[in-house]
Amino acid sequence: MKFLIISLMQFFFSYGNSIAGESIENDSSRVVFPTISVVATRDIMTPLAVFSGTSVINAEFINKIMPMQISEILNFTPGIKIRDYGGLGGIKTISMRGSMASQTVIMLDGIKLNSSQNGMIDLNVIPVALIDRILTTSGGMSAMHGSNAMGGVIDFGSNYNMQSTKFITNIGSFGERLLSLSGGTNLSRLNISAFGEYRTTNGDYSLNINQYGKKYNYHRVNADYSSYSFGLISGFSLDSSSHLRLSSITNITDKGVPGAILQGSIESLTARSEEFYSITSINYSKLFSESMFLKSSLSYKYSENHFADSKYVPLDYSGNTNFYTNDLTFSGNLRLKKKYFDLNFSTELFHSQLTGDMLDKTLGGEVERSGFSLGLTSEFRQISDYLRVVAATRLDMFSDNSSALSPFLGVILMPFDGAVEIPINISYNFRVPSFNELYYLNYGNSDLKPERSTSVNLGARAQMSEYFNIQSNVFYINTTDMILSVPKSPVQWSAQNVGKVDSYGFELDLSGILFDNLLSYSFAYTRMNVIDKQLESPNYDKLLPYFPQESLGLTLFVTYKDFVLGNTLNYSSFAYSLRDNNHSSIIDNYLIYDVSLTRKFNFEQYAFQLRFDVKNLFDTDFEIIKNYPMPGRIFRASLQFIYGENQ
């Protein structure tokens, strides 16, 4: 009932406020450059993104993949690693360039989604029906985004200006079902868009397991999953230069938590999780003149997590955990264009609160944090037609932890009359400890300080033509004071600032269209090493767990008349699951091939699309997380119907 009341309050709150879609398009201070990735040109949303490795995924590419969940799209971007705990309902987190999930910022329309409780976000809370573009910026970005932006930033963009109605239904193996409905309309200066999405699965996929030397075939149990997402986005043009926008998005999840598959224990049959997540935001933008632009936002995030397992009762634990988080954030940006430089002033204020029954007993079940930041970015103009320079810094202060200063320096060299761009940057970044790391029962350490990292990027990009686009980057990230779990006793661990890590590698991103739109392709390759550099550690110079040295994503779509044949391939080299790189901890390499066939029908304002997919065509047994097997071959059939202008 509490979930329903909060959702209804969000709906009525959002109905009375708004923003017009033009607010983004009228942002004269935004930079446009030829994005070299799996998609076409798109504006860059922050002043620093263009000075680093950037990839963009647009609505056309998302529609070609036709994902059941948002994580399925990101495997085709270099430098990105999805940690998937198996099946539709398994937790899915993301990291970039060898960073941890808590060291990567995840945003929705510029609003940070990372949890103040653990620093991460489960990608399952982001509804597929809402997203029509994804911008990834690789490398340290704390000078723009503050805490957590050590490995990079991923900003999911919503389709805030819908002018058509779209219905999608999808059925698949293991009881997979997807239903989504979205649409919008323009009423003079008012735009209203809404969506609803339902995903479910039985999760009973087949498992081939070795138990004490004997091989058995099981079906996953207690892996069922149901997720409901819905939301409303409204916009209003106050005048030709002022705009308001309000969005309200809610996700409700109920799922089993089968756990790891270990010798003598296939899964937990009783563990359940109920989750509620909502985010409401108001955005205001004002274009004062061609040289001055103001943008501000106020956002509120609320989440609940209820976990229960009657058969797991360790010390000080009843088998049930309940957590409630509240985050209120205000941010503002003022951009000024001067004769010789462009300035961006930013500020942010936030307050976070966590209530739960697994916090340190001396805290009374509740912890809080407030923070304030000031930032300045300056891009110097008219230095040369072949050179761009930017300098930025940001100061973050916290009520319960040390402050952090984050500088950024970047240049772009543009030889050959600007046909090639060579972005170079160096930055100093940080992550403030999460509430769990500071205050979790029998684990947290209130003396923790922020993690720090130095990030360096050297890249090159060129858009030869529509036939061939290329972007490559070489990167290095040195992380110090990394927070790791250290044993205090045979049965108890504690968070400590003891880790030192070097991450370095190479990324390659190719894309293009051939033979008069008959063939479109993309190729993403990453080669990297993530190395333990803690001198006192017995694991010095060894690879960190769950970071393969090589990964590859390939897409190939053949379009003939109203038919589209899709081919996607994902490869990952082996990785270790333990820090000592023991042979028994090896997670085998894997190669996954998916194929799809789509038939399109168009009748005036109506458009239909029939599609058939085979995921993991060769039924490969593989794991991304040790002892969490991924599903084998999956068959899916889908129908998409669109009515209106945006077909």
Side-chain angles (χ1 to χ4, degrees), residues 62 66-71 73 123-132 168 178 180 195 197 199 229:
I62 295 172
M66 188 70 82
M68 282 281 284
Q69 49 197 357
I70 208 72
S71 58
I73 308 170
L123 296 179
N124 283 327
V125 306
I126 303 175
V128 175
L130 179 67
I131 304 305
D132 76 342
I168 299 176
L178 169 69
S180 76
F195 78 94
E197 180 179 282
R199 282 180 290 162
S229 298

Side-chain angles (χ1 to χ4, degrees), residues 24 27 29-33 42-54 56 105 107 109-112 135-146 149 152-156 293 295 331 333 335 342-344 346 377-379 388 390 392 394 408 412 425 461:
I24 296 297
D27 182 352
S29 62
R30 298 173 70 197
V31 181
V32 181
F33 84 106
R42 184 189 182 311
D43 294 280
I44 298 304
M45 290 188 174
T46 68
L48 300 185
V50 69
F51 290 86
S52 191
T54 303
V56 187
V105 167
M107 308 181 82
D109 292 330
I111 297 171
K112 187 182 293 187
L135 171 66
T136 69
T137 306
S138 301
M141 285 286 147
S142 289
M144 180 59 61
H145 299 287
V153 179
I154 301 178
D155 192 356
F156 293 90
F293 178 74
K295 182 165 59 176
S331 65
N333 285 271
R335 299 185 186 180
D342 294 343
L343 293 176
N344 183 87
S346 64
T377 300
S378 177
E379 181 177 350
R388 296 173 61 182
V390 69
R394 171 169 163 154
F408 180 102
I412 298 178
N425 72 66
R461 55 182 175 242

Side-chain angles (χ1 to χ4, degrees), residues 196-340:
E197 180 179 282
Y198 170 67
R199 282 180 290 162
T200 187
T201 181
N202 298 330
D204 57 345
Y205 53 90
S206 178
L207 304 173
N208 296 311
I209 302 171
N210 188 318
Q211 290 283 302
Y212 303 109
K214 293 185 178 181
K215 292 185 177 180
Y216 297 91
N217 181 269
Y218 294 91
H219 284 271
R220 198 70 154 139
V221 179
N222 193 36
D224 60 293
Y225 166 83
S226 295
S227 172
Y228 305 85
S229 298
F230 51 91
L232 185 143
I233 305 173
S234 57
F236 185 71
S237 297
L238 300 176
D239 52 47
S240 60
S241 62
S242 302
H243 310 279
L244 280 173
R245 177 186 175 194
L246 188 138
S247 64
S248 180
I249 299 163
T250 299
N251 175 265
I252 303 171
T253 298
D254 179 24
K255 64 181 181 180
V257 186
I261 294 176
L262 305 172
Q263 292 285 349
S265 177
I266 303 303
E267 54 215 333
S268 171
L269 302 181
T270 58
R272 305 289 302 178
S273 177
E274 295 181 2
E275 300 166 8
F276 176 86
Y277 186 91
S278 71
I279 179 168
T280 300
S281 65
I282 304 173
N283 300 269
Y284 172 76
S285 62
K286 171 70 174 180
L287 184 65
F288 293 97
S289 66
E290 292 184 359
S291 61
M292 181 183 293
F293 178 74
L294 174 69
K295 182 165 59 176
S296 62
S297 69
L298 179 66
S299 64
Y300 172 66
K301 293 186 299 182
Y302 175 79
S303 67
E304 294 186 17
N305 184 284
H306 306 280
F307 176 82
D309 187 355
S310 59
K311 292 187 178 181
Y312 180 63
V313 189
L315 295 175
D316 299 320
Y317 179 45
S318 66
N320 301 317
T321 62
N322 302 280
F323 283 104
Y324 309 84
T325 60
N326 293 269
D327 298 278
L328 182 65
T329 304
F330 169 81
S331 65
N333 285 271
L334 177 65
R335 299 185 186 180
L336 301 175
K337 284 194 172 186
K338 299 298 183 179
K339 183 176 181 180
Y340 297 108

Side-chain angles (χ1 to χ4, degrees), residues 66-68 167-173 176-179 595-598 609-615 634-640:
M66 188 70 82
M68 282 281 284
F167 171 76
I168 299 176
T169 180
N170 191 320
I171 60 173
S173 305
E176 288 187 351
R177 299 290 187 273
L178 169 69
L179 291 172
V595 63
S596 65
L597 180 63
T598 304
Q609 178 175 293
L610 295 174
R611 179 181 172 115
F612 183 73
D613 288 79
V614 184
K615 301 290 185 180
I634 298 175
F635 297 98
R636 290 178 184 167
S638 63
L639 168 66
Q640 177 176 283

Side-chain angles (χ1 to χ4, degrees), residues 34 82 109 122 131 139 193 219 268 373 401 440 483-484 489 503 543 566 572 583-584 596 598 624:
I82 304 291
D109 292 330
D122 183 358
I131 304 305
S193 300
H219 284 271
S268 171
S373 73
N401 215 268
Y440 202 86
I483 300 172
L484 300 175
S489 71
S503 173
L543 295 170
S572 175
H583 186 270
S584 64
S596 65
T598 304
I624 298 176

Side-chain angles (χ1 to χ4, degrees), residues 3-121:
F3 291 171
L4 180 60
I5 293 172
I6 293 175
S7 301
L8 289 174
M9 289 175 63
Q10 287 184 314
F11 177 83
F12 288 112
F13 182 54
S14 62
Y15 190 80
N17 298 274
S18 49
I19 179 182
E22 304 97 289
S23 62
I24 296 297
E25 303 304 323
N26 286 343
D27 182 352
S28 64
S29 62
R30 298 173 70 197
V31 181
V32 181
F33 84 106
T35 303
I36 313 304
S37 66
V38 294
V39 295
T41 302
R42 184 189 182 311
D43 294 280
I44 298 304
M45 290 188 174
T46 68
L48 300 185
V50 69
F51 290 86
S52 191
T54 303
S55 296
V56 187
I57 300 173
N58 66 5
E60 181 182 2
F61 186 82
I62 295 172
N63 192 52
K64 285 180 178 178
I65 298 296
M66 188 70 82
M68 282 281 284
Q69 49 197 357
I70 208 72
S71 58
E72 296 177 16
I73 308 170
L74 294 166
N75 289 316
F76 308 104
T77 301
I80 286 182
K81 178 63 179 177
I82 304 291
R83 292 192 178 184
D84 192 333
Y85 285 77
L88 201 62
I91 294 173
K92 292 162 182 63
T93 63
I94 191 168
S95 66
M96 302 178 70
R97 292 188 168 179
S99 65
M100 302 300 173
S102 59
Q103 297 169 339
T104 300
V105 167
I106 308 298
M107 308 181 82
L108 177 63
D109 292 330
I111 297 171
K112 187 182 293 187
L113 301 182
N114 297 62
S115 167
S116 55
Q117 180 184 353
N118 56 30
M120 302 179 289
I121 185 71

